[in-house]
Amino acid sequence: MSGDFMKTENNQELEDELRPEYNFSKMKGGVRGKYVDRYRTGTNVVLLDPDVAQAFPTSDAVNEALRLLMQIAQRQKPNNALEPTERL
């Protein structure tokens, strides 16, 4: 599958604005994705649905809400142990 299907009019405009002196094909030593592993280890990106993002607009708000939920979950008694009932 070729990458031609991804080209759009907008991409063509960006390519036209690139100065000739920025010819990356002639650069030596460039490695695509060289730092991607380092980047991913320090990043945890989660996409929120619009209604959730409206309620929790910042990272701090999301983290605070999730920490509160974690505390509530830890305080709840597990409901997986059923107590036997008496037979009549």
Side-chain angles (χ1 to χ4, degrees):
M1 204 179 242
S2 101
D4 292 338
F5 71 95
M6 299 277 302
K7 288 191 178 185
T8 62
E9 186 176 310
N10 191 24
N11 285 344
Q12 187 62 39
E13 289 176 17
L14 292 175
E15 288 177 22
D16 290 342
E17 294 176 5
L18 192 62
R19 295 181 179 177
E21 60 265 28
Y22 297 137
N23 185 350
F24 296 112
S25 66
K26 294 182 179 179
M27 293 181 71
K28 302 290 184 209
V31 177
R32 183 179 175 128
K34 182 177 181 178
Y35 299 105
V36 71
D37 289 333
R38 187 184 309 176
Y39 171 77
R40 286 182 180 159
T41 59
T43 304
N44 188 7
V45 177
V46 176
L47 298 178
L48 302 176
D49 288 336
D51 58 329
V52 176
Q54 186 174 6
F56 304 100
T58 65
S59 294
D60 288 338
V62 172
N63 286 322
E64 183 179 340
L66 290 175
R67 285 187 182 104
L68 180 60
L69 184 60
M70 288 170 29
Q71 288 175 4
I72 291 170
Q74 288 173 355
R75 291 178 187 163
Q76 296 296 316
K77 178 182 177 183
N79 197 11
N80 57 2
L82 297 176
E83 295 185 23
T85 58
E86 290 185 36
R87 291 185 124 179
L88 297 176

